[in-house]
Amino acid sequence: MIEIIKHPWHWAVAGTLIGLTVPALLLIGNKKLGVSSFMRHICAICFPKKIPFFLYEWKNEAWNLFFVAGIFLGGFIATQFLSNPEPIRVAEATKEALINYGITDFSSIMPIEIFSMENIFTLKGFFFFVVGGFMVGFGSRYASGCTSGHSIMGIANLQLPSLIATCCFMIGGIFSANVILPLLFKIV
């Protein structure tokens, strides 16, 4: 069983399992899938001041805290104990594009040339971690949810705002990957 878990699964298996979380959450307790609301719950717990945005019954959403903790725990377990022993496979066209950006180490899932302790306090690190993190957080709040909430849960519930948000996420991702990312690698 461990050998099956250690190797990559077909995308359809993972997609089906993720898709089944929507009816499972709805059937178990009429809950909505989403991760970005986790930060709001943490702030409501830690800063119980009279800020209207945090004045709600966060205890009703405590399951979400365990859900996100499970994501972190699952990631830790997978990284520490279930790592795929085979080298990372990257398509040749992708590899060529990444080499043009200065990314040459394909030994791990996240490129060392970007995601390393040495890059945190550099201009590149500032753009990738600080500016990128702010944009993701701002976008999630502005769209009233993250990609998992809108793209998985919202579309499954036939919500027009979720369809619009997902289209915007895709357009933003395509634009970022094809315009902003190459520009960033030229600048920094």
Short mmCIF file of all heavy atoms in Angstrom, two decimals, residues 16-44:
data_model
loop_
_atom_site.label_atom_id
_atom_site.label_comp_id
_atom_site.label_asym_id
_atom_site.label_seq_id
_atom_site.Cartn_x
_atom_site.Cartn_y
_atom_site.Cartn_z
N THR A 16 -11.13 13.30 -8.83
CA THR A 16 -12.35 12.66 -8.34
C THR A 16 -12.42 12.73 -6.82
O THR A 16 -13.48 13.05 -6.26
CB THR A 16 -12.40 11.19 -8.81
OG1 THR A 16 -12.36 11.16 -10.24
CG2 THR A 16 -13.64 10.49 -8.31
N LEU A 17 -11.31 12.46 -6.16
CA LEU A 17 -11.30 12.52 -4.69
C LEU A 17 -11.57 13.93 -4.18
O LEU A 17 -12.33 14.12 -3.22
CB LEU A 17 -9.96 12.00 -4.14
CG LEU A 17 -9.72 10.51 -4.33
CD1 LEU A 17 -8.30 10.14 -3.90
CD2 LEU A 17 -10.74 9.69 -3.56
N ILE A 18 -10.96 14.93 -4.83
CA ILE A 18 -11.23 16.31 -4.45
C ILE A 18 -12.69 16.65 -4.71
O ILE A 18 -13.37 17.27 -3.89
CB ILE A 18 -10.29 17.28 -5.19
CG1 ILE A 18 -8.86 17.11 -4.69
CG2 ILE A 18 -10.74 18.73 -5.02
CD1 ILE A 18 -7.82 17.82 -5.53
N GLY A 19 -13.19 16.23 -5.86
CA GLY A 19 -14.59 16.49 -6.20
C GLY A 19 -15.57 15.85 -5.23
O GLY A 19 -16.64 16.40 -4.96
N LEU A 20 -15.23 14.70 -4.69
CA LEU A 20 -16.11 14.02 -3.74
C LEU A 20 -16.16 14.72 -2.37
O LEU A 20 -17.06 14.46 -1.59
CB LEU A 20 -15.68 12.56 -3.56
CG LEU A 20 -15.97 11.66 -4.76
CD1 LEU A 20 -15.38 10.27 -4.53
CD2 LEU A 20 -17.47 11.58 -5.02
N THR A 21 -15.22 15.62 -2.11
CA THR A 21 -15.27 16.35 -0.85
C THR A 21 -16.48 17.29 -0.81
O THR A 21 -17.01 17.57 0.26
CB THR A 21 -13.99 17.17 -0.59
OG1 THR A 21 -13.80 18.11 -1.63
CG2 THR A 21 -12.79 16.29 -0.45
N VAL A 22 -16.90 17.77 -1.98
CA VAL A 22 -18.04 18.71 -2.02
C VAL A 22 -19.31 18.03 -1.50
O VAL A 22 -19.90 18.52 -0.53
CB VAL A 22 -18.24 19.28 -3.44
CG1 VAL A 22 -19.52 20.10 -3.52
CG2 VAL A 22 -17.04 20.13 -3.83
N PRO A 23 -19.76 16.92 -2.09
CA PRO A 23 -20.97 16.30 -1.54
C PRO A 23 -20.77 15.76 -0.13
O PRO A 23 -21.70 15.78 0.68
CB PRO A 23 -21.30 15.19 -2.53
CG PRO A 23 -20.07 14.94 -3.30
CD PRO A 23 -19.29 16.22 -3.28
N ALA A 24 -19.54 15.30 0.18
CA ALA A 24 -19.29 14.79 1.53
C ALA A 24 -19.49 15.89 2.57
O ALA A 24 -20.15 15.69 3.59
CB ALA A 24 -17.89 14.21 1.62
N LEU A 25 -18.91 17.07 2.32
CA LEU A 25 -19.07 18.18 3.27
C LEU A 25 -20.52 18.63 3.37
O LEU A 25 -21.01 18.94 4.46
CB LEU A 25 -18.19 19.36 2.87
CG LEU A 25 -16.70 19.22 3.15
CD1 LEU A 25 -15.92 20.35 2.51
CD2 LEU A 25 -16.45 19.20 4.65
N LEU A 26 -21.22 18.65 2.25
CA LEU A 26 -22.62 19.06 2.27
C LEU A 26 -23.48 18.04 3.01
O LEU A 26 -24.38 18.41 3.77
CB LEU A 26 -23.14 19.27 0.84
CG LEU A 26 -22.59 20.51 0.14
CD1 LEU A 26 -23.02 20.52 -1.32
CD2 LEU A 26 -23.03 21.78 0.83
N LEU A 27 -23.21 16.75 2.81
CA LEU A 27 -23.99 15.71 3.47
C LEU A 27 -23.68 15.59 4.95
O LEU A 27 -24.57 15.36 5.77
CB LEU A 27 -23.77 14.36 2.78
CG LEU A 27 -24.35 14.23 1.38
CD1 LEU A 27 -23.89 12.93 0.73
CD2 LEU A 27 -25.87 14.30 1.42
N ILE A 28 -22.40 15.74 5.30
CA ILE A 28 -22.00 15.57 6.70
C ILE A 28 -22.51 16.71 7.57
O ILE A 28 -22.96 16.48 8.68
CB ILE A 28 -20.46 15.45 6.81
CG1 ILE A 28 -20.01 14.12 6.23
CG2 ILE A 28 -19.99 15.60 8.24
CD1 ILE A 28 -18.51 13.96 6.10
N GLY A 29 -22.45 17.93 7.10
CA GLY A 29 -22.87 19.00 7.98
C GLY A 29 -23.22 20.29 7.29
O GLY A 29 -23.14 21.35 7.89
N ASN A 30 -23.57 20.21 6.01
CA ASN A 30 -23.92 21.41 5.24
C ASN A 30 -22.80 22.46 5.33
O ASN A 30 -23.04 23.63 5.57
CB ASN A 30 -25.25 21.99 5.71
CG ASN A 30 -25.87 22.90 4.68
OD1 ASN A 30 -25.57 22.80 3.49
ND2 ASN A 30 -26.71 23.81 5.12
N LYS A 31 -21.56 21.98 5.15
CA LYS A 31 -20.38 22.84 5.23
C LYS A 31 -19.88 23.15 3.82
O LYS A 31 -20.06 22.38 2.90
CB LYS A 31 -19.26 22.16 6.01
CG LYS A 31 -19.65 21.77 7.42
CD LYS A 31 -19.90 22.97 8.27
CE LYS A 31 -20.24 22.54 9.69
NZ LYS A 31 -20.66 23.64 10.52
N LYS A 32 -19.21 24.30 3.69
CA LYS A 32 -18.64 24.72 2.41
C LYS A 32 -17.13 24.58 2.45
O LYS A 32 -16.50 25.00 3.41
CB LYS A 32 -19.02 26.17 2.11
CG LYS A 32 -20.49 26.39 1.91
CD LYS A 32 -20.77 27.85 1.64
CE LYS A 32 -22.26 28.10 1.52
NZ LYS A 32 -22.56 29.52 1.34
N LEU A 33 -16.59 24.02 1.37
CA LEU A 33 -15.14 23.88 1.26
C LEU A 33 -14.51 25.23 0.97
O LEU A 33 -14.99 25.98 0.13
CB LEU A 33 -14.79 22.91 0.12
CG LEU A 33 -13.31 22.75 -0.17
CD1 LEU A 33 -12.61 22.03 0.97
CD2 LEU A 33 -13.11 21.99 -1.47
N GLY A 34 -13.43 25.53 1.65
CA GLY A 34 -12.69 26.76 1.42
C GLY A 34 -11.56 26.85 2.42
O GLY A 34 -11.70 26.40 3.56
N VAL A 35 -10.47 27.42 2.00
CA VAL A 35 -9.30 27.50 2.86
C VAL A 35 -9.02 28.93 3.29
O VAL A 35 -8.53 29.17 4.39
CB VAL A 35 -8.08 26.87 2.16
CG1 VAL A 35 -6.83 26.99 3.00
CG2 VAL A 35 -8.35 25.41 1.85
N SER A 36 -9.34 29.92 2.46
CA SER A 36 -8.98 31.29 2.79
C SER A 36 -9.72 31.82 4.01
O SER A 36 -9.22 32.70 4.70
CB SER A 36 -9.22 32.21 1.59
OG SER A 36 -10.58 32.22 1.24
N SER A 37 -10.88 31.27 4.32
CA SER A 37 -11.61 31.72 5.52
C SER A 37 -10.90 31.32 6.80
O SER A 37 -11.18 31.86 7.88
CB SER A 37 -13.03 31.15 5.51
OG SER A 37 -12.99 29.74 5.42
N PHE A 38 -9.96 30.40 6.70
CA PHE A 38 -9.18 29.96 7.84
C PHE A 38 -8.51 31.14 8.56
O PHE A 38 -8.52 31.22 9.78
CB PHE A 38 -8.13 28.95 7.35
CG PHE A 38 -7.00 28.70 8.29
CD1 PHE A 38 -7.16 27.88 9.38
CD2 PHE A 38 -5.75 29.28 8.08
CE1 PHE A 38 -6.12 27.63 10.24
CE2 PHE A 38 -4.70 29.04 8.93
CZ PHE A 38 -4.89 28.21 10.02
N MET A 39 -7.94 32.07 7.79
CA MET A 39 -7.27 33.22 8.40
C MET A 39 -8.26 34.12 9.14
O MET A 39 -7.93 34.66 10.20
CB MET A 39 -6.52 34.03 7.33
CG MET A 39 -5.26 33.36 6.84
SD MET A 39 -4.10 32.94 8.16
CE MET A 39 -3.64 34.53 8.75
N ARG A 40 -9.45 34.25 8.61
CA ARG A 40 -10.47 35.05 9.29
C ARG A 40 -10.82 34.41 10.63
O ARG A 40 -10.96 35.11 11.64
CB ARG A 40 -11.72 35.18 8.42
CG ARG A 40 -12.79 36.03 9.07
CD ARG A 40 -14.02 36.13 8.22
NE ARG A 40 -14.99 37.02 8.84
CZ ARG A 40 -16.28 36.99 8.60
NH1 ARG A 40 -16.76 36.15 7.71
NH2 ARG A 40 -17.10 37.81 9.21
N HIS A 41 -10.93 33.08 10.65
CA HIS A 41 -11.25 32.38 11.90
C HIS A 41 -10.13 32.56 12.92
O HIS A 41 -10.39 32.80 14.10
CB HIS A 41 -11.49 30.89 11.64
CG HIS A 41 -12.56 30.60 10.66
ND1 HIS A 41 -13.71 31.35 10.51
CD2 HIS A 41 -12.67 29.62 9.73
CE1 HIS A 41 -14.47 30.85 9.56
NE2 HIS A 41 -13.85 29.79 9.07
N ILE A 42 -8.89 32.45 12.47
CA ILE A 42 -7.74 32.63 13.37
C ILE A 42 -7.74 34.04 13.95
O ILE A 42 -7.55 34.24 15.16
CB ILE A 42 -6.41 32.35 12.63
CG1 ILE A 42 -6.30 30.88 12.26
CG2 ILE A 42 -5.21 32.80 13.45
CD1 ILE A 42 -6.18 29.94 13.44
N CYS A 43 -7.99 35.04 13.11
CA CYS A 43 -8.03 36.43 13.59
C CYS A 43 -9.19 36.64 14.56
O CYS A 43 -9.05 37.35 15.55
CB CYS A 43 -8.13 37.40 12.41
SG CYS A 43 -6.62 37.49 11.44
N ALA A 44 -10.33 36.02 14.29
CA ALA A 44 -11.48 36.16 15.21
C ALA A 44 -11.18 35.54 16.57
O ALA A 44 -11.65 36.04 17.59
CB ALA A 44 -12.71 35.51 14.58
#
